Amino acid sequence: MSNYERLLSWVLKYGRLPRKSDGGRAASLRRWIDGERGENLLRLHLEQRRLLDLVADALRVRGQNFWEPRQEKWWQHADEVEAFLRREGQPPLSSSSDTYEKKLGKWLSKQRRRNRDGRLDTEQRGWLRHVPVRRNRGHKPGQ
């Protein structure tokens, strides 16, 4: 089975592109996608292009766009927040003195605002619902 066929199979099963955080074969497939998208797609054989068109169509039905890497960038940030949560046991703070935590915290705060404004898709809203809210370190309950 070619990577193109594996990709189509994945999209039809899960309704989205694989992410590096999915681990295993999915992560390997994700790295392959990142390498194939862009310049390499111009050199595809007809059969390979047909399979990618099927993937794009399957994603489009679910409101996603294979050719729009911005959506994938969102999930890369979400993966980073999940890794932070696993490592630290709490979400990142936008007011942290640690540069990396602060970057993730600001991104997370922005997504919460976008969610309130109705600017996240269904899958993004579902992901965000499972991220706990963390108060600033100096915050005491009841204040």
Side-chain angles (χ1 to χ4, degrees), residues 11-124:
V11 168
L12 292 174
K13 182 174 181 179
Y14 296 103
R16 63 173 174 79
L17 292 173
R19 300 180 193 125
K20 289 178 185 170
S21 65
D22 290 326
R25 290 178 189 242
S28 164
L29 192 54
R30 178 70 230 190
R31 285 189 292 276
W32 175 80
I33 291 168
D34 291 342
E36 286 296 297
R37 193 168 13 205
E39 293 293 321
N40 293 341
L41 291 176
L42 299 175
R43 296 188 302 255
L44 292 178
H45 296 288
L46 185 60
E47 180 63 15
Q48 294 165 329
R49 182 59 196 219
R50 187 186 69 74
L51 286 168
L52 279 184
D53 285 342
L54 288 173
V55 167
D57 290 344
L59 287 169
R60 195 174 303 109
V61 166
R62 292 167 174 86
Q64 300 174 38
N65 187 345
F66 177 73
W67 306 112
E68 179 55 64
R70 220 168 69 196
Q71 182 81 333
E72 288 306 308
K73 191 73 170 164
W74 194 96
W75 286 107
Q76 289 171 0
H77 287 299
D79 290 344
E80 290 181 52
V81 168
E82 285 181 12
F84 185 92
L85 275 166
R86 281 191 302 275
R87 190 174 57 254
E88 302 295 328
Q90 54 194 359
L93 280 175
S94 58
S95 60
S96 175
S97 58
D98 177 77
T99 334
Y100 182 68
E101 179 180 359
K102 186 175 190 169
K103 178 189 113 177
L104 289 179
K106 284 185 175 189
W107 181 84
L108 185 57
S109 295
K110 180 179 180 180
Q111 301 321 305
R112 293 191 195 284
R113 276 192 310 278
R114 291 182 73 224
N115 186 41
R116 282 192 300 272
D117 296 342
R119 294 181 8 213
L120 295 182
D121 68 32
T122 306
E123 191 178 3
Q124 291 168 336

